[in-house]
Amino acid sequence: MAAFEVFMEIGSCIKVQNGSCPTSYLTHASYFHEQSYSIQNRTSAPSSYVTLPRKNCTCKATLKEANSKIESVEKLKVKPSEFSSEIELSSLTAISPLDGRYRNKVKDLSHYLSEYGLIYYRTLVEVKWLIKLSQIPQVSEVPSFSNESQKKLQELIDGFSNGDAMQVKNIEKITNHDVKAVEYFLKTKCQEDPQIAKVLEFFHFGCTSEDINNLAHGLMLKESLNSVILPVMDDLINAIYTMAKANAHVPMLSRTHGQPASPTTLGKEMVIFAERLSRERHDISKVEILGKFAGAVGNYNAHVVAYNDVNWPKIAEEFVNSLGLSFNPHVTQIESHDYMAKLFHSFIRFNNILLDFDKDIWGYISVGYFKQVTKAGEIGSSTMPHKVNPIDFENSEGNLGIANAVLDHLSMKLPISRWQRDLTDSTVLRNIGVGLGYSLLAYKSALVGIGKLQVNEAALNKDLDNSWEVLAEPIQTVMRRYGVEEPYEKLKELTRGRVVDKERITEFIKGLEIPVEAKTELLKLTPHNYVGVASQLVEEACFRANNK
């Protein structure tokens, strides 16, 4: 064979014979899974043969027969070189769009919620624990560290790099245990410091893996919230408050059940969303992030055996608090994750409110209440040149759905563990960044969309001008005050299913048997000024927000 190409039909077995070489079988499954590495980048036949075994294969096809069969399924041919090399990870080859298409929008989370972040915070906890042990008088085997040794330990945290994380991963290939790999990494790093080298076995002293993991996850959440997510939430909320304040006095037809209803103002409808989101953001920031450090089943068993004169629960509380986390004294092998469920449910509520906002804005755009600022070169539709689609709000809506699906599973699964623990939480916890990443992506999309909005007062006014029937509510209410019989029924007869304009309303008011003063006030009403105290509600809400 001048060019070494293997043509395979799915499910087939092809016999390959190369001169005097032994016969072997090429199969679709074994080719992919067992031998792809052995034929990488080859353009000619090997000197002997390629073995791609298939168990219990009884195929007796000759090479000629195989070629004949292949000619009839040419469309299924596959070249080994197309599958034999590993595709390099990039924005184009990433499976998750968070690490691909949307990488630039969520990359700020990578430092905290990636595997790099998990390894970094595990390292931090292990180092801090060794330092804490050196400060316990009864643990005389770990004396106080010199300034130089303390500096060395702190550098392990402050100078932690991608290379360090890769070194941990390489160790894990041998240990097949990710937390133990961090311990071995630290021992390797500290061998040359004479003081630390004497106490290397006190890395991970008294710890179960979950003592390290739960604190690492707590720190990952705490830092990613404070540094990345909450600031973007604040930007989003402030943008909606700004919309509300700017449009506090702009009248707009309400649409209860999708039908014309009593007028409001655009600003008042926006401030409702700002207030709702603000409350949930406040709840998120107040969730207490808990940590445990109580050993294999939460009783400090090994600690007490080694040093029975130390108040280990007190030491553990001091240590957890020193990391900026709250202490959970009553645990099994794991921290129970109830706070995570509370936190993620709060995110779900925030996301649902934003989802409601996205849909409302989408609707207002569809009826022309908002225009969208266009950008040179951008295309709204591939076939309809006039369109400017509300893609940012649609993107936000879609990603909020994915975020909530993940966060809901985290909330429902994480508090549940068999007996003292099982491992089902371990793989699930690796998806915290997925739920929060899609949330962050949605927040940023909504922010971009808000920045493109322009109020179309002409469209707002047109709808109001065509909806004089909404004044039926105030008219019948004033009629009730002055004892007019069946006011609701009279207005129902006047308006329902009929075209109602200014002249018809004016004529009806003039014919009412109510005081002149009341009649005069009713005649001043229009759909544009019948908005109650909407603007006042906006101003009060914005004032409170600015003074929190």
Side-chain angles (χ1 to χ4, degrees):
M1 291 180 287
F4 182 66
E5 292 186 352
V6 179
F7 299 93
M8 295 170 294
E9 180 182 359
I10 295 174
S12 69
C13 179
I14 303 172
K15 187 178 182 182
V16 175
Q17 191 169 5
N18 184 18
S20 60
C21 298
T23 297
S24 60
Y25 293 101
L26 300 180
T27 68
H28 186 73
S30 64
Y31 166 70
F32 280 123
H33 298 296
E34 297 181 34
Q35 296 293 333
S36 62
Y37 65 88
S38 68
I39 51 178
Q40 182 176 353
N41 297 325
R42 292 188 182 175
T43 58
S44 61
S47 58
S48 57
Y49 64 96
V50 181
T51 301
L52 293 95
R54 173 171 166 178
K55 293 182 179 180
N56 302 319
C57 180
T58 59
C59 178
K60 301 298 182 181
T62 65
L63 182 60
K64 181 177 179 180
E65 291 170 340
N67 286 337
S68 176
K69 186 174 184 180
I70 288 166
E71 288 175 1
S72 66
V73 288
E74 185 70 11
K75 61 182 179 180
L76 294 177
K77 71 179 183 179
V78 181
K79 293 182 179 181
S81 59
E82 294 176 2
F83 292 95
S84 59
S85 60
E86 182 178 338
I87 298 176
E88 183 179 352
L89 178 63
S90 71
S91 61
L92 291 177
T93 60
I95 294 175
S96 166
L98 288 179
D99 291 317
R101 182 178 182 87
Y102 304 126
R103 172 70 179 176
N104 286 337
K105 296 181 180 180
V106 298
K107 63 183 179 181
D108 290 344
L109 288 177
S110 292
H111 183 76
Y112 307 102
L113 299 179
S114 61
E115 184 162 17
Y116 166 88
L118 178 57
I119 295 171
Y120 166 76
Y121 284 112
R122 283 169 170 165
T123 301
L124 182 151
V125 173
E126 293 276 14
V127 170
K128 293 288 187 181
W129 177 233
L130 183 64
I131 294 173
K132 179 64 177 178
L133 288 172
S134 73
Q135 298 167 351
I136 303 173
Q138 296 93 323
V139 186
S140 56
E141 289 79 4
V142 187
S144 297
F145 291 115
S146 65
N147 291 337
E148 185 177 347
S149 293
Q150 288 188 43
K151 183 179 179 182
K152 168 67 176 178
L153 290 170
Q154 190 61 41
E155 284 177 352
L156 291 171
I157 300 170
D158 297 341
F160 194 82
S161 66
N162 286 335
D164 292 329
M166 285 304 301
Q167 189 174 343
V168 173
K169 291 297 293 180
N170 287 333
I171 297 171
E172 186 188 341
K173 291 178 182 178
I174 301 170
T175 63
N176 198 29
H177 195 290
D178 48 4
V179 177
K180 204 67 178 175
V182 172
E183 178 188 345
Y184 289 167
F185 163 78
L186 290 171
K187 288 179 178 179
T188 300
K189 283 285 189 177
C190 295
Q191 285 178 349
E192 295 182 2
D193 184 288
Q195 191 174 21
I196 305 174
K198 294 178 180 179
V199 294
L200 291 179
E201 295 306 323
F202 280 87
F203 277 118
H204 206 69
F205 174 82
C207 298
T208 184
S209 295
E210 270 305 297
D211 286 327
I212 309 303
N213 282 337
N214 89 97
L215 298 183
H217 285 123
L219 290 170
M220 292 165 71
L221 280 169
K222 180 175 179 287
E223 296 300 323
S224 63
L225 288 177
N226 291 336
S227 299
V228 181
I229 297 175
L230 291 179
V232 176
M233 281 183 166
D234 290 339
D235 289 344
L236 177 60
I237 293 168
N238 289 335
I240 300 175
Y241 271 121
T242 299
M243 282 179 64
K245 188 172 183 178
N247 298 286
H249 300 276
V250 176
M252 182 180 79
L253 186 68
S254 293
R255 291 181 180 273
T256 58
H257 307 279
Q259 307 302 308
S262 300
T264 181
T265 70
L266 179 57
K268 184 260 179 177
E269 299 312 305
M270 295 300 101
V271 88
I272 290 172
F273 286 109
E275 290 281 278
R276 293 172 68 192
L277 291 169
S278 181
R279 281 193 291 270
E280 293 304 329
R281 185 260 186 245
H282 176 77
D283 286 351
I284 287 171
S285 67
K286 294 301 180 183
V287 173
E288 197 174 20
I289 298 180
L290 301 177
K292 60 85 67 173
F293 209 72
V297 292
N299 303 328
Y300 308 94
N301 303 37
H303 303 67
V304 172
V305 170
Y307 296 96
N308 61 12
D309 54 345
V310 175
N311 185 345
W312 288 111
K314 183 175 183 296
I315 292 295
E317 182 173 10
E318 291 174 355
F319 179 60
V320 171
N321 290 341
S322 73
L323 299 176
L325 305 176
S326 298
F327 182 61
N328 185 351
H330 303 111
V331 294
T332 59
Q333 185 176 104
I334 64 171
E335 199 288 319
S336 304
H337 306 318
D338 296 332
Y339 84 84
M340 289 188 181
K342 183 177 182 180
L343 177 65
F344 298 145
H345 273 136
S346 294
F347 266 97
I348 290 172
R349 291 195 300 273
F350 184 97
N351 290 353
N352 274 338
I353 294 167
L354 183 59
L355 190 73
D356 194 21
F357 172 82
D358 289 338
K359 289 186 175 185
D360 271 16
I361 296 296
W362 188 97
Y364 291 140
I365 292 172
S366 74
V367 297
Y369 287 0
F370 287 111
K371 295 179 180 180
Q372 296 178 94
V373 177
T374 58
K375 185 177 180 180
E378 284 190 352
I379 294 173
S381 167
S382 64
T383 187
M384 292 173 279
H386 67 283
K387 293 186 70 179
V388 182
N389 296 329
I391 56 174
D392 299 297
F393 297 105
E394 292 174 342
N395 184 284
S396 177
E397 179 183 335
N399 286 310
L400 287 169
I402 298 174
N404 281 359
V406 175
L407 293 171
D408 180 65
H409 179 67
L410 292 171
S411 301
M412 299 299 291
K413 187 274 156 293
L414 288 176
I416 300 171
S417 183
R418 296 174 183 86
W419 295 346
Q420 283 67 50
R421 89 148 303 178
D422 62 50
L423 264 179
T424 55
D425 64 330
S426 179
T427 189
V428 172
L429 283 165
R430 292 182 181 274
N431 291 279
I432 290 175
V434 178
L436 296 184
Y438 277 108
S439 297
L440 180 65
L441 179 60
Y443 306 159
K444 289 189 173 183
S445 294
L447 264 170
V448 171
I450 290 171
K452 295 180 181 179
L453 294 177
Q454 282 185 336
V455 178
N456 185 3
E457 292 195 43
L460 291 165
N461 291 333
K462 182 180 178 181
D463 268 5
L464 290 166
D465 289 337
N466 293 331
S467 302
W468 281 81
E469 66 271 19
V470 298
L471 297 184
E473 180 192 38
I475 294 171
Q476 63 97 6
T477 302
V478 172
M479 290 168 67
R480 290 176 186 274
R481 176 184 176 184
Y482 292 106
V484 179
E485 292 185 358
E486 297 185 334
Y488 178 88
E489 287 72 18
K490 288 182 171 65
L491 268 300
K492 177 181 175 183
E493 176 65 24
L494 176 71
T495 60
R496 184 172 293 190
R498 300 173 183 270
V499 175
V500 180
D501 54 18
K502 179 180 180 180
E503 289 71 25
R504 189 174 179 86
I505 289 291
T506 300
E507 181 183 352
F508 183 84
I509 293 173
K510 288 180 177 179
L512 292 175
E513 295 182 0
I514 59 176
V516 175
E517 298 83 7
K519 191 178 295 187
T520 300
E521 292 301 313
L522 284 178
L523 288 170
K524 292 179 182 178
L525 284 179
T526 72
H528 295 266
N529 62 24
Y530 177 50
V531 294
V533 296
S535 59
Q536 177 184 331
L537 294 173
V538 175
E539 290 168 0
E540 290 174 351
C542 290
F543 177 81
R544 288 194 303 270
N546 289 333
N547 289 276
K548 283 183 180 178

